[in-house]
Amino acid sequence: MISYNKLWKILIDKGITKTQLRISAGFNTSTLAKLNKNQIVSLKVIIKVCKYLQCDIGDIMEIDYE
């Protein structure tokens, strides 16, 4: 139901790896695995990602109704 495809596109556009994001934003590998599987993560993690990437929540995730 949640899609983080927008997040992966931003990372590609900025030349940032998923590991770099995880370390710089300050969350663990299990959270990164949840993001990879389009699973729900805490709002605290979403805010950390947005702060690191200097973007808004809607820039990194969306609800997939299909």
Side-chain angles (χ1 to χ4, degrees), residues 1-64:
M1 188 157 177
I2 299 290
S3 172
Y4 299 105
N5 289 339
K6 289 181 173 184
L7 170 59
W8 311 134
K9 179 161 181 2
I10 288 173
L11 293 184
I12 291 167
D13 291 347
K14 293 188 176 203
I16 300 169
T17 67
K18 292 178 181 181
T19 302
Q20 288 173 318
L21 172 68
R22 181 186 63 77
I23 293 168
S24 297
F27 56 88
N28 60 35
T29 54
S30 63
T31 301
L32 181 59
K34 286 182 178 183
L35 289 168
N36 278 320
K37 295 176 185 176
N38 288 324
Q39 294 177 346
I40 295 172
V41 297
S42 73
L43 186 56
K44 186 175 181 179
V45 170
I46 298 299
I47 292 169
K48 286 180 179 183
V49 170
C50 288
K51 186 174 181 181
Y52 173 68
L53 295 174
Q54 297 180 341
C55 66
D56 195 19
I57 291 171
D59 296 332
I60 64 167
M61 61 185 289
E62 63 187 347
I63 297 172
D64 185 7

